[in-house]
Amino acid sequence: MKPMITFLVRRLTTSALVVLISSFLMYFLVAIAVDPLSTLRASTMPTLAKQQQMAHLTAVLRLDEPIITRYFDWLKGASGCLYGQCNLGTNWKTHEAVTSMLSGAVVTTVQLVLLATVIAIVVGAAIGIISALRQYSGFDYSITFLSFLMYSLPVFWVAVMLKSFLAIDFNDFIQNGGQFSAGWIIGAALVTGLAVGAACGGGRARLLRIGGITAALVAALMLYSNVSDFFVRPSSGSPLDLIKVLLISVAIAFGVTTLSTGLRNRKALYTSLTVAAIGGGLYYPMLFFWNGVSGSWLLMIGLAVVSAAVGVGVGYAWGGTERSRSARTGAITAVLVAAVLFLDRLAQTWYDYTNSTWVHGRPIATSGDSTPNLAGSFWMHTTDLLTHIALPSITLVLVSMASYTRYVRASTLEVLNQDYIRTARAKGLTERTVIMRHAFRNALLPLASVVPVDILFILGGALITETVFGWSGMGHLFVQSLHEEILDPVMGYLLIVAILAPLANIVADVLYAVLDPRIRVDA
Amino acid sequence: MTNDLHPVDRPADHLENAIELKEVMGLSQGQIVRRRFLHHRGAIVGLIVLALVILLAYSSVGFSFLGLDVPGWWRWTITDLPDIVNSGDPSTVGGVIPWGIHPFGQDDVGHDVFAMVMKGTQTSIMVMIVVGVVAMVIGIVVGAISGYYRGWTDQALMRITDLFLTFPVIVVGAVLGKRFNEAPPWILAVVLGAILWMTLARLVRGEFLALREREFVDAARVSGARPARIIFKHILPNAMGVIIVQTTLLMSSAVLLETALSFLGFGINPPNVSLGWLVSNYQSAFSARPWLFWWPGLIIIILALCINFIGDGLRDAFDPRQKKVPSAKAMAKADSNAAAQTTPMFQRIVGFGRSKRGSSK
């Protein structure tokens, strides 16, 4: 523990120094980049008035003083943040304090960046592992090509494309009653069938079988969605919806058990099935419960923790020699089933949301981070958040996923060549155990050092997505202030990034040292 | 499963090695690299497409170099304002292939979009090359000095490198672009090069740290070579592979960075044309005239993708451990001739020097 503390202290001290120096450099650069007088200079007002105004602005912004004295004044205000008296200056056009401008923007950006990062990691890592397991197959080559393509995508172009095609088309689709055409059904079924079949690997017969089943399933689901008007009213809390939730929960139970312990571990399977049944049993009580309380994110997180605890309890109740494993399976299933209940409740507001006076039947928003003046429950606002965050986060995921895929693929291939994998196979362990327990964890290890640093890259991408989608986040604030020649908000943004970057590096190092016993931190 | 790790030598391994050995027998390092590169399908396709795009961009609307104006063969220039034909829709052959008087359409004032896009492509290519050269030079100098001299020089230079890495490049790029967007495009390119060299410097430093301990460097030093000579004549050629690969990757990110900055308004502005500026300028028209930003975006992707593929090919070509994996067909074909091709002696040598790669399909 002691070396860790020394390490942290030393790194934090050097990081503070880095923040100081980089903030000075950036202050200098921004100060020479922005020219608050430019609009005045270009204006056509009489020369005398112009000179007066310019002199006035110069005096207010102290443009005649050297940059370094202005920097130290700024630093004095900024260092107030250490003891709760932040003064990051003001926007000289609107006289709004930078701290109040930033406070809302930070939350908006964090939502976007976090969601995009989580999705990118989960999807990217999953694809990377599958791609590595099927090395040199058609699937692997296609994924390699796709990730090259994603590397080469300009963020702003993707954002504009999504905005103009995906959003408008989806909204048209909803407005026209949410019915899939025959062409769509066939196309979607073929593509998913082919992708899933190729991802499962094996010979041509297996590909055709799995692909065929998947394609049939997708087609059936889409037809069902047409018949039941799923996109108009996805759920209404009827017994039919209860059956749907139950079916999905059972599928989750089987899926989680397969990945976590294998279906042969009966106790684990029974645990997760019990959890699924409990979820189904709680369907109506929970609907009753939601009507009684006003929802909040804190409550949701609390409920997720409670459900995980229930899952653990069920696992221990089933007993057996491998109780802890059943408990783990139960907990994962419970959280996922709880998420399904949550989504179902959210789906019940969909109809009201799309047909509300604020939305007018076109749910996917192309600009802004929330519908102005939207009134309604927690569920209404959550749906609103999701419809607004969808496009920017898809954009960010598309451009940042490729690096995770490539990274996880490479590390999985390396791990699979290790001696302990050979040992595991030699012991006669099943392929699932070898992959999930021995390879998977070690393959994901390097991500611990990549993700914190990569978040910075996504933050840079957020600059563009926020601008295109009109999100009032930090990136948008930065771009707009830079355009309008206002120094202080720009410096506020840069200060946050300057603090985040070394922090991310420290987190990466510590995380790696905690996860990998071979790595020791030494300052 | 494709990943069973069989400790026993399998004929497939020998086959792969045999193919590889045949490939490298009696060739110099340069020849090996060149051969491998030429056998990398993705890289060659990328190279050809890139060459065609460059040829098209420079020959169509012409260019001026050192005050010398070279006219292009295309009928419009970016300043022409012909009458709007067919409400600005792209003229095509059979509704699909862009051809005719305005193959990429016209914007709402009448500018020929093909000419605009070609001019923007020229800008992107110029930026790409200038950024590549500038970043490569800075990266090599910083990395070489810091790796060769180590000690406090290394510490100081690496701390400066870390400092540059604090901010996402697009953020620093935006601030610098704001300062330099009135200047000619090549100045912006130089500035962008000055903020993209860090990863290269780190890699070069790593290479130098490893290479400077090798015997041939000791030999050079003992025979009285001066540091500059050791760095440039002895170590640098051996680090060239890493440098070239990293520079190509850097060039593709330079294309994306410049267009992104121009899109935000912090890059290249009129009268100069940038693909990012075109997308930004036309984005409000996307429902009425989608072709206005189809083409600029497509060209950016083509440029970046081609360079990424070339970089991938170069990486494979320079990596001595990299083995070319024959296709299933080639393996089957070679399998039938296996006995004739591999002698016992050869098998022993190959089996001994086998690389650690386990999965062998």
Side-chain angles (χ1 to χ4, degrees):
Chain A
M1 209 54 222
K2 192 134 181 278
M4 183 68 101
I5 292 170
T6 349
F7 167 81
L8 275 181
V9 168
R10 197 174 288 191
R11 283 294 293 270
L12 282 173
T13 340
T14 46
S15 302
L17 211 65
V18 167
V19 172
L20 263 181
I21 298 173
S22 60
S23 70
F24 171 68
L25 286 179
M26 288 317 281
Y27 194 94
F28 185 78
L29 284 182
V30 177
I32 57 170
V34 301
D35 178 16
L37 300 176
S38 62
T39 36
L40 277 180
R41 206 172 287 136
S43 77
T44 48
M45 65 173 79
T47 329
L48 193 65
K50 197 156 138 182
Q51 270 170 354
Q52 269 176 354
Q53 289 211 14
M54 278 169 75
H56 175 69
L57 199 57
T58 309
V60 169
L61 295 174
R62 300 163 55 203
L63 295 179
D64 45 351
E65 290 179 36
I67 292 173
I68 189 144
T69 58
R70 281 189 276 155
Y71 169 72
F72 278 114
D73 277 347
W74 175 84
L75 190 66
K76 205 156 74 187
S79 58
C81 295
L82 296 174
Y83 46 87
Q85 286 181 327
C86 256
N87 175 19
L88 292 175
T90 48
N91 175 340
W92 61 264
K93 279 190 180 160
T94 60
H95 301 291
E96 196 181 350
V98 172
T99 41
S100 74
M101 291 169 83
L102 274 176
S103 59
V106 170
V107 177
T108 317
T109 301
V110 166
Q111 276 173 346
L112 178 63
V113 169
L114 266 190
L115 186 76
T117 314
V118 169
I119 297 176
I121 291 173
V122 172
V123 180
I127 294 177
I129 288 180
I130 297 173
S131 180
L133 292 177
R134 317 257 170 270
Q135 197 188 8
Y136 302 138
S137 67
F139 181 77
D140 186 33
Y141 283 127
S142 323
I143 292 298
T144 306
F145 179 77
L146 277 182
S147 47
F148 267 105
L149 187 64
M150 287 182 188
Y151 266 134
S152 317
L153 285 179
V155 192
F156 59 93
W157 191 71
V158 176
V160 175
M161 288 298 264
L162 286 181
K163 188 169 157 177
S164 55
F165 290 105
L166 191 70
I168 289 174
D169 284 356
F170 185 79
N171 285 337
D172 285 346
F173 168 75
I174 295 283
Q175 222 165 22
N176 298 335
Q179 298 287 316
F180 291 111
S181 65
W184 263 101
I185 296 180
I186 295 169
L190 281 182
V191 169
T192 34
L194 206 66
V196 173
C200 284
R204 191 161 294 173
R206 194 171 129 98
L207 190 152
L208 280 179
R209 198 173 64 233
I210 295 181
I213 294 173
T214 316
L217 205 66
V218 170
L221 279 178
M222 287 170 91
L223 279 175
Y224 177 75
S225 140
N226 274 359
V227 174
S228 66
D229 281 335
F230 180 82
F231 282 94
V232 176
R233 200 189 277 276
S235 172
S236 52
S238 64
L240 194 66
D241 293 313
L242 168 62
I243 293 173
K244 276 188 228 162
V245 167
L246 209 58
L247 275 179
I248 295 172
S249 303
V250 170
I252 288 175
F254 271 100
V256 170
T257 319
T258 313
L259 286 180
S260 152
T261 62
L263 288 178
R264 279 159 91 187
N265 187 336
R266 289 291 154 179
K267 288 273 160 67
L269 181 60
Y270 297 150
T271 304
S272 51
L273 285 176
T274 314
V275 169
I278 293 176
L282 280 176
Y283 186 72
Y284 280 112
M286 280 317 278
L287 286 189
F288 187 70
F289 174 74
W290 296 132
N291 287 338
V293 296
S294 59
S296 71
W297 282 108
L298 209 62
L299 179 71
M300 298 306 147
I301 293 167
L303 284 174
V305 173
V306 170
S307 52
V310 170
V312 170
V314 172
Y316 274 103
W318 273 102
T321 46
E322 292 180 322
R323 257 169 304 187
S324 56
R325 220 166 276 169
S326 307
R328 194 185 61 207
T329 315
I332 299 172
T333 317
V335 172
L336 290 178
V337 169
V340 171
L341 288 180
F342 174 80
L343 287 178
D344 181 78
R345 179 64 189 80
L346 212 54
Q348 290 178 24
T349 53
W350 179 254
Y351 182 79
D352 295 335
Y353 177 76
T354 45
N355 292 297
S356 65
T357 47
W358 300 278
V359 180
H360 296 300
R362 299 187 74 79
I364 298 294
T366 52
S367 78
D369 50 321
S370 59
T371 308
N373 309 322
L374 179 79
S377 61
F378 165 77
W379 303 101
M380 209 66 158
H381 282 284
T382 309
T383 314
D384 190 53
L385 174 68
L386 289 180
T387 53
H388 280 85
I389 212 170
L391 291 179
S393 50
I394 291 175
T395 315
L396 283 181
V397 167
L398 272 182
V399 294
S400 60
M401 196 172 77
S403 65
Y404 292 124
T405 306
R406 298 303 292 164
Y407 212 83
V408 171
R409 180 180 178 274
S411 74
T412 309
L413 285 177
E414 200 174 310
V415 165
L416 285 174
N417 278 339
Q418 298 287 318
D419 287 342
Y420 59 81
I421 296 291
R422 192 191 314 233
T423 313
R425 288 216 170 94
K427 281 194 293 189
L429 295 181
T430 58
E431 194 59 30
R432 187 203 64 76
T433 319
V434 174
I435 302 292
M436 289 304 292
R437 198 166 315 153
H438 293 76
F440 178 68
R441 296 178 179 186
N442 291 301
L444 290 191
L445 209 57
L447 276 190
S449 61
V450 184
V451 171
V453 183
D454 215 64
I455 285 183
L456 274 185
F457 169 79
I458 297 190
L459 211 59
L463 205 82
I464 294 167
T465 38
E466 281 174 6
T467 310
V468 174
F469 291 109
W471 268 54
S472 49
M474 285 198 297
H476 190 51
L477 183 70
F478 168 78
V479 171
Q480 214 171 13
S481 309
L482 200 57
H483 265 303
E484 293 179 5
E485 325 272 353
I486 311 168
L487 181 137
D488 285 339
V490 173
M491 276 317 291
Y493 173 81
L494 289 174
L495 181 67
I496 290 178
V497 178
I499 293 173
L500 267 180
L503 221 55
N505 276 310
I506 296 178
V507 169
D509 288 349
V510 171
L511 214 60
Y512 209 97
V514 169
L515 292 178
D516 191 342
R518 287 170 303 183
I519 309 284
R520 291 267 167 273
V521 289
D522 47 48
Chain B
M1 238 18 251
T2 49
N3 286 295
D4 55 336
L5 299 177
H6 224 278
V8 184
D9 289 354
R10 297 192 309 174
D13 274 349
H14 295 306
L15 278 176
E16 260 178 49
N17 281 311
I19 292 168
E20 169 143 350
L21 230 74
K22 204 172 74 188
E23 214 174 55
V24 300
M25 229 173 264
L27 298 175
S28 76
Q29 185 67 30
Q31 282 171 316
I32 297 171
V33 170
R34 203 172 313 130
R35 271 196 168 204
R36 284 189 174 168
F37 182 75
L38 291 176
H39 281 104
H40 196 286
R41 208 175 299 153
I44 290 303
V45 172
L47 198 63
I48 292 172
V49 174
L50 184 67
L52 289 178
V53 169
I54 292 177
L55 197 68
L56 182 67
Y58 278 93
S59 68
S60 59
V61 288
F63 55 94
S64 57
F65 187 69
L66 299 176
L68 193 73
D69 280 320
V70 182
W73 48 262
W74 185 240
R75 53 173 82 85
W76 313 114
T77 66
I78 52 167
T79 44
D80 287 346
L81 285 172
D83 295 336
I84 295 181
V85 186
N86 193 13
S87 71
D89 280 9
S91 54
T92 54
V93 175
V96 197
I97 308 158
W99 199 257
I101 185 160
H102 295 297
F104 290 4
Q106 283 172 289
D107 67 8
D108 44 2
V109 232
H111 284 122
D112 180 56
V113 178
F114 180 79
M116 300 282 267
V117 170
M118 286 304 123
K119 206 71 191 172
T121 312
Q122 288 185 9
T123 312
S124 280
I125 292 165
M126 184 276 295
V127 167
M128 179 176 99
I129 292 167
V130 173
V131 168
V133 170
V134 171
M136 187 166 83
V137 169
I138 302 180
I140 289 177
V141 169
V142 171
I145 291 177
S146 135
Y148 184 79
Y149 289 103
R150 298 189 301 188
W152 67 266
T153 329
D154 178 30
Q155 283 295 319
L157 285 175
M158 281 302 113
R159 291 296 81 79
I160 293 173
T161 312
D162 289 346
L163 206 62
F164 270 88
L165 280 169
T166 312
F167 296 98
V169 274
I170 185 144
V171 172
V172 187
V175 174
L176 289 172
K178 169 84 182 142
R179 175 75 183 78
F180 290 104
N181 65 359
E182 313 264 289
W186 67 267
I187 291 189
L188 185 80
V190 172
V191 170
L192 292 186
I195 57 171
L196 276 172
W197 51 269
M198 290 84 70
T199 38
L200 181 66
R202 282 185 164 184
L203 282 173
V204 172
R205 171 180 173 266
E207 283 287 301
F208 267 65
L209 282 177
L211 288 170
R212 78 186 296 282
E213 306 297 333
R214 297 271 289 272
E215 287 85 351
F216 66 87
V217 176
D218 282 342
R221 200 174 294 137
V222 167
S223 57
R226 268 187 271 169
R229 188 178 168 79
I230 297 179
I231 289 176
F232 288 110
K233 279 274 173 190
H234 296 273
I235 305 185
L236 198 58
N238 286 291
M240 228 37 216
V242 171
I243 293 171
I244 291 175
V245 170
Q246 188 59 33
T247 306
T248 48
L249 298 179
L250 200 144
M251 284 160 81
S252 84
S253 53
V255 171
L256 295 179
L257 179 65
E258 178 270 313
T259 48
L261 288 178
S262 303
F263 175 82
L264 289 175
F266 299 126
I268 289 160
N269 285 332
N272 300 300
V273 185
S274 154
L275 296 173
W277 179 82
L278 287 178
V279 174
S280 154
N281 194 37
Y282 294 147
Q283 64 165 321
S284 54
F286 57 63
S287 50
R289 301 164 176 228
W291 59 87
L292 289 180
F293 68 84
W294 265 119
W295 292 106
L298 210 63
I299 299 275
I300 298 171
I301 294 179
I302 290 175
L303 284 178
L305 197 61
C306 286
I307 300 164
N308 275 333
F309 268 114
I310 295 171
D312 190 50
L314 286 171
R315 191 201 336 251
D316 286 358
F318 277 112
D319 187 353
R321 285 162 308 178
Q322 189 78 32
K323 282 201 267 182
K324 195 178 154 223
V325 182
S327 67
K329 215 166 152 191
M331 289 287 274
K333 199 178 156 197
D335 218 358
S336 59
N337 308 328
Q341 277 184 353
T342 44
T343 67
M345 176 65 185
F346 180 68
Q347 258 183 20
R348 238 180 41 231
I349 297 168
V350 171
F352 182 71
R354 215 158 62 86
S355 84
K356 269 176 68 185
R357 212 171 61 79
S359 57
S360 47
K361 188 192 153 190

